[in-house]
């Protein structure tokens, strides 16, 4: 959610050449992907949740 709210400022900074903005965007997307993978494959880590 924070990544979405910060998107306009991050994109402006990215286009102006700020490398910290690029790292923030990449880190944010990596975090979202990690959360998605954890949710997708939760049955491997928590087999008691299988139905």
């Amino acid at each position: 959610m924070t990544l979405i709210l910060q998107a306009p400022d991050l994109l402006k900074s990215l286009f102006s050449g700020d490398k910290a903005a690029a790292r923030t965007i990449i880190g944010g997307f990596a975090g979202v992907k990690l959360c998605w993978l954890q949710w997708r494959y939760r049955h491997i880590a928590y087999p008691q949740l299988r139905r």
Side-chain angles (χ1 to χ4, degrees):
M1 185 67 168
T2 303
L3 189 62
I4 293 170
L5 294 174
Q6 294 288 329
D9 293 332
L10 284 173
L11 289 175
K12 284 182 207 172
S13 298
L14 181 66
F15 291 134
S16 68
D18 186 12
K19 293 185 189 271
R23 284 193 300 266
T24 302
I25 291 171
I26 291 169
F29 281 124
V32 168
K33 184 65 173 180
L34 183 63
C35 289
W36 180 82
L37 284 172
Q38 181 182 1
W39 176 80
R40 178 71 175 96
Y41 296 106
R42 68 189 180 279
H43 63 278
I44 294 170
Y46 306 106
Q48 70 271 20
L49 296 178
R50 285 188 187 165
R51 295 177 188 183

